[in-house]
């Protein structure tokens, strides 16, 4: 089977996203041509390393490429100052040079952390994204956003630093738990909802097959998501405008994640899916789209076996006013006003600061009461 390529045409920062089955086995062949010397540094998620690292190092060895490996604990807590220091000091210990390449082998946490380390190491070193979760394959590994969390919130410190290539091996998704796969699918559905109604229709038909493991459906879902992300990033690399569309559902999601302590109670992609449903509900109440649109969003999430209601988040949630307060730390605040991504219909989202807080409050109140 030949790999599927999505090109991200960013001038001198252009790169390819290689999507397919068995990509990891071709890593040496794919990475080799960009190396100045036959050596890479790999920073891996420890859990992913236990499952898949031997395949990666064997593929690199097969092309005569030596590798050093640093394995870091799985989980969002790894994306912090302490691990950034650890990665950078390790790269210095290895005496990596500016011409060398570091490989991020894991999900979004590893990709964001290693990308940021690569951005600041010797004022910028190249890095390869090898995303191993669905969320990372369709979103975080593409587009050059890198960074860490601080005690003030998620992703508040970071840099735009585009990868040299993205290698997305669809086979690695087979070892995800169904919950992690579906959380990543929240970001896939987001692309259809924000800008591509035919893709959302395709997902309504093929999404369940993708969740059940169908390789072609998975490749197509990842390809379309990456193509849409590439198109948006090329229009607005540093998020001065259109790139904010990628945050559909995220203002609600960030408040829910903060309210649940960034814990296992709510995974990021689950929050995105619920957030998309709430964004469409808000849009309908504002008269921007028909009531059928939020119903269709919720029906698809239900058909996929995903969370779509606040009542499906275990434990207590704060009231609507407290959730709105938590939105205030969102990076989309401009001059103190919250920016929301609203929709005129499925596949037709837009950015606005003109959302009446009372409407958001009433949507949240009803959602909290299970209405
Ligand atoms: N995940 C949103 C973005 O890359 O802009």
């Amino acid at each position: 089977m030949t790999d599927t390529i999505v090109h991200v045409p960013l001038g001198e920062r252009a790169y390819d996203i290689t999507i397919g089955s068995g990509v990891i086995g071709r890593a040496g062949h794919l990475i080799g041509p960009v190396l100045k010397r036959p050596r890479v540094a790999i920073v891996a998620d420890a859990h992913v390393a236990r499952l898949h690292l031997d395949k990666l190092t064997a593929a690199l060895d097969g092309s005569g490429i030596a590798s050093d490996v640093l394995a870091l604990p799985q989980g969002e807590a790894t994306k912090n100052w302490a691990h950034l220091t650890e990665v950078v000091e390790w790269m210095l210990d290895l005496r990596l040079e500016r011409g060398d390449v570091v490989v991020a082998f894991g999900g979004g946490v590893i990709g964001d952390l290693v990308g940021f380390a690569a951005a600041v190491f010797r004022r910028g070193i190249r890095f390869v994204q090898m995303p191993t979760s669905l969320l990372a394959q369709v979103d975080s590994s593409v587009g050059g956003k890198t960074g860490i969390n601080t005690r003030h919130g998620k992703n508040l410190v970071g840099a735009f630093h585009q990868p040299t290539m993205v290698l997305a091996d669809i086979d690695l998704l087979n070892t995800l738990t169904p919950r992690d796969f579906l959380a990543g699918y929240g970001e896939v559905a987001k692309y259809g909802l924000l800008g591509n109604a035919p893709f959302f229709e395709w997902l309504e038909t093929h999404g369940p097959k993708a969740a059940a493991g169908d390789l072609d459906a998975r490749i197509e879902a990842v390809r379309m998501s990456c193509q849409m992300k590439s198109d948006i990033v090329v229009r607005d690399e540093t998020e001065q405008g259109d790139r904010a569309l990628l945050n559909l559902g995220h203002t609600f999601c960030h408040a829910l994640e903060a309210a649940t302590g960034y814990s296992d109670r709510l995974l990021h992609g689950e929050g995105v899916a619920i957030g998309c449903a709430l964004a469409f509900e808000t849009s309908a109440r504002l008269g921007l789209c028909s009531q059928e649109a939020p119903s269709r969003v919720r029906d698809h999430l239900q058909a996929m076996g995903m969370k779509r209601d606040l009542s499906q988040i275990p434990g207590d949630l704060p009231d609507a006013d407290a959730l709105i307060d938590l939105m205030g730390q969102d990076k989309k605040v401009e001059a103190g006003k919250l920016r929301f991504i609203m929709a005129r219909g499925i596949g037709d989202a837009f950015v606005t600061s003109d959302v009446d807080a009372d409407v958001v409050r009433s949507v949240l109140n009803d959602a909290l009461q299970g209405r």
Side-chain angles (χ1 to χ4, degrees):
M1 186 190 260
T2 51
D3 291 328
T4 297
I5 309 287
V6 173
H7 183 62
V8 186
L10 279 172
E12 58 188 21
R13 293 179 310 290
Y15 54 96
D16 282 345
I17 305 164
T18 300
I19 303 160
S21 168
V23 172
I24 195 170
R26 296 186 282 287
H29 168 73
L30 291 161
I31 297 174
V34 305
L35 300 181
K36 297 209 165 122
R37 52 178 175 159
R39 163 180 194 193
V40 290
I42 302 169
V43 182
D45 172 305
H47 176 68
V48 170
R50 274 190 296 277
L51 295 172
H52 304 296
L53 184 65
D54 52 350
K55 293 190 273 277
L56 175 57
T57 50
L60 293 168
D61 271 357
S63 294
I65 300 167
S67 45
D68 290 283
V69 180
L70 174 68
L72 297 178
Q74 186 175 39
E76 192 68 33
T78 293
K79 224 173 93 172
N80 63 8
W81 288 110
H83 284 101
L84 177 70
T85 306
E86 184 180 346
V87 173
V88 170
E89 295 286 355
W90 176 73
M91 287 158 63
L92 289 167
D93 288 342
L94 292 179
R95 297 180 185 274
L96 288 196
E97 299 169 0
R98 273 194 96 180
D100 287 330
V101 167
V102 59
V103 177
F105 189 48
V109 166
I110 291 294
D112 285 7
L113 174 73
V114 175
F116 189 32
V120 296
F121 182 82
R122 301 197 198 280
R123 299 202 176 87
I125 183 177
R126 293 170 305 155
F127 79 116
V128 170
Q129 287 273 22
M130 290 196 69
T132 58
S133 68
L134 180 60
L135 188 136
Q137 291 190 351
V138 299
D139 186 28
S140 59
S141 69
V142 176
K145 276 191 183 174
T146 71
I148 56 170
N149 306 326
T150 81
R151 67 185 170 81
H152 293 279
K154 279 180 67 170
N155 298 327
L156 293 177
V157 176
F160 286 100
H161 187 52
Q162 298 293 344
T164 297
M165 69 181 72
V166 181
L167 304 180
D169 189 334
I170 301 298
D171 296 346
L172 301 187
L173 304 181
N174 293 336
T175 50
L176 295 180
T177 64
R179 185 181 180 197
D180 281 328
F181 182 90
L182 289 178
Y185 186 88
E187 299 278 5
V188 175
K190 175 196 80 176
Y191 288 108
L193 292 173
L194 76 87
N196 192 329
F199 181 45
F200 189 73
E201 262 171 51
W202 184 91
L203 290 172
E204 287 175 316
T205 307
H206 300 278
K209 265 195 290 186
D214 184 279
L215 179 64
D216 291 337
R218 286 184 170 189
I219 290 175
E220 181 58 7
V222 173
R223 182 191 73 80
M224 274 302 298
S225 301
C226 289
Q227 186 61 62
M228 287 196 64
K229 180 141 191 191
S230 168
D231 292 346
I232 291 173
V233 167
V234 166
R235 285 208 301 276
D236 178 22
E237 186 177 357
T238 56
E239 200 168 317
Q240 307 302 311
D242 265 12
R243 186 164 179 163
L245 292 173
L246 296 171
N247 292 323
L248 175 64
H250 282 61
T251 307
F252 290 104
C253 170
H254 289 156
L256 294 171
E257 281 185 293
T260 50
Y262 302 96
S263 70
D264 205 38
R265 285 172 63 196
L266 184 74
L267 303 180
H268 175 70
E270 293 173 334
V272 170
I274 295 174
C276 284
L278 291 171
F280 270 80
E281 184 59 39
T282 309
S283 302
R285 292 211 193 169
L286 288 167
L288 295 166
C289 69
S290 69
Q291 188 55 50
E292 281 76 58
S295 303
R296 212 172 134 193
V297 177
R298 291 166 47 80
D299 287 351
H300 181 52
L301 298 180
Q302 181 167 19
M304 293 297 296
M306 293 168 69
K307 292 189 174 78
R308 61 206 175 282
D309 290 321
L310 298 189
S311 62
Q312 292 170 310
I313 302 173
D316 292 333
L317 288 174
D319 65 17
D321 284 320
L323 286 173
I324 289 173
D325 264 1
L326 288 171
M327 292 173 182
Q329 183 58 273
D330 195 282
K331 289 193 296 311
K332 292 183 296 305
V333 176
E334 238 177 35
K337 283 193 111 178
L338 276 171
R339 279 196 300 153
F340 279 92
I341 318 302
M342 293 285 109
R344 298 184 193 91
I346 304 279
D348 188 6
F350 64 101
V351 186
T352 176
S353 301
D354 191 23
V355 174
D356 186 345
D358 286 342
V359 175
V360 177
R361 193 172 294 110
S362 84
V363 167
L364 285 171
N365 268 327
D366 288 354
L368 286 164
Q369 285 160 32
R371 278 189 272 144

